[in-house]
Amino acid sequence: MTQFRAIRGMVDILPDATPLWQQIEAAVRRALSGYGYTEVRLPLIEATEVFARSIGEVTDIVEKEMYSFPDRNGDSLTLRPEGTAGCVRAAVQHSLLGTPQRLWYAGPMFRYERPQKGRQRQFHQVGVEAFGVAGPEQDAELILICQRLWQALGVTPLLNLEINSIGSPAARQRYREALVTYLQARRDALDEDSKRRLDSNPLRILDSKNPEVQALLDGAPRLADFLDDDSREHWEALLALLDAAGVSYRHNDRLVRGLDYYNRTVFEWTTEALGAQGTVCGGGRYDGLVAQFGGSDTPAAGFAIGMERLVLLYESLNPSAAAAADIYVVTVDADAYGYALPRIEALRAQFPGLTIVMHLGGGSFKSQFKRADRSGARLALVYGVDEVATDQVTVKPLRDGGEQSTIAGLALADTLRRFEWAQVEE
Ligand code: HAM
């Protein structure tokens, strides 16, 4: 028989991992709603042009990473490689942009990249997009949301903020010419990848991981010297806000990001804890994109978090965050099970936040207690022959020590209330 396997780079998220994901997702929702952002749910597939035009024809994503295919009617469609383009498309289509909008989305994205730790072909992002505010206070707010989320998850010490201004498109064009002139004169010292980029997307050479290329760039013209006055003012005001809010950052004047739609502020949160795929979150301002999609001129800025990378970081600090039951119910036989069932259902109604697992499938007490131990439950509730005959239940602590006690069934709820149960996340 053929055994099917998931497609390379498409990863199953299994029960031992989903509790971590859910904890992070709950923290994300709390952080975002705390700043007044509202969720939008958008299609996974858009017309190919939506991505090609906004992300840029000569970017890695559009040139070689998109899952594009003809629809049955011949239209070219693409599985979304990122969320900003679809979000802008939706905001323009539904006329959401008359007043400032604070939006977020979460879900799978698709890029045909070489899979490795922290890099998949189907991966997940939480993205945040804010429309309608041109000033640096919007950029600062986005960065503060990230910082608050890192704090809530306890990963702040593992993350660094790198930030840059890439100015206006015109300033970038002037810089591009100066950079190309400088690098053309030293073309022989460039690696193949950089040579190719020199003609197509020279600013991406600034991102090169090759130390020789980086050394060559030490003498190159600097983007910061080409900024237009408005962008410089915006940049300085943003840094002042970050300083006022106590955010630490590093100005990385070679940070340009891999998507074409950005202007002015770009930023990334990076970590050294994950090896090569160290960018956990990236974003920036994209003031021209809404107009490019046929909307009226609307400033915008946003970011996206790579969830797999954030999960890896969180997991490195919380190795045992797996789901644990609170209570495991053990019954001696089918009669005891039938006796316990309505009582446990009543308990569920009284304690909706608790995870109560009833043992199913029978078996000896010994094997049931083994399962109870493995469930991580704090307590076992035991319904044996005597308990059933006398309307009692045995409460047996499984983890924190303590004596087991047999109590009247009617006293169970009061007994359970005396335990301090972990705060249940919504
Ligand atoms: P991006 O930098 O292409 O930006 O992706 C954001 C994050 O998604 C990355 O920093 C990384 O954590 C994660 N990521 C990207 N590719 C992969 C992959 N193959 N496997 C695992 N994780 C990955 C954007 O997508 C922009 N739309 C962000 C944005 C929103 N800018 C403004 N608004």
Side-chain angles (χ1 to χ4, degrees), residues 303-314:
F303 64 82
I305 298 169
M307 283 294 284
E308 278 74 10
R309 298 179 190 179
L310 184 55
V311 168
L312 284 168
L313 274 193
Y314 183 68

Side-chain angles (χ1 to χ4, degrees), residues 82 84 111 113 118 120 125 129 257 261-262 279 302-303:
E82 60 104 51
T84 307
R111 296 184 194 176
E113 293 193 82
Q120 298 172 185
Q125 285 185 348
E129 315 292 356
R257 309 253 316 124
Y261 47 62
Y262 293 112
T279 307
F303 64 82

Side-chain angles (χ1 to χ4, degrees), residues 118 123-126 146 149-150 153 155 158-160 257 267-274 276-283 303-314:
F123 62 100
H124 297 78
Q125 285 185 348
V126 166
C146 296
L149 178 62
W150 311 149
L153 294 171
V155 296
L158 297 176
L159 284 165
N160 299 304
R257 309 253 316 124
F267 64 90
E268 288 186 350
W269 292 88
T270 59
T271 180
E272 272 145 36
L274 298 182
Q277 303 309 315
T279 307
V280 173
C281 170
F303 64 82
I305 298 169
M307 283 294 284
E308 278 74 10
R309 298 179 190 179
L310 184 55
V311 168
L312 284 168
L313 274 193
Y314 183 68

Side-chain angles (χ1 to χ4, degrees), residues 307-341:
M307 283 294 284
E308 278 74 10
R309 298 179 190 179
L310 184 55
V311 168
L312 284 168
L313 274 193
Y314 183 68
E315 194 178 19
S316 71
L317 301 175
N318 302 277
S320 62
D326 295 308
I327 295 174
Y328 198 93
V329 183
V330 167
T331 53
V332 68
D333 56 18
D335 284 346
Y337 181 83
Y339 172 88
L341 186 61

Side-chain angles (χ1 to χ4, degrees), residues 250-261:
R250 183 172 83 85
H251 177 195
N252 173 0
D253 70 356
R254 292 183 192 169
L255 180 68
V256 288
R257 309 253 316 124
L259 305 96
D260 277 359
Y261 47 62

Side-chain angles (χ1 to χ4, degrees), residues 402-415:
E403 288 296 298
Q404 74 174 47
S405 57
T406 300
I407 59 172
L410 288 175
L412 181 57
D414 280 342
T415 304

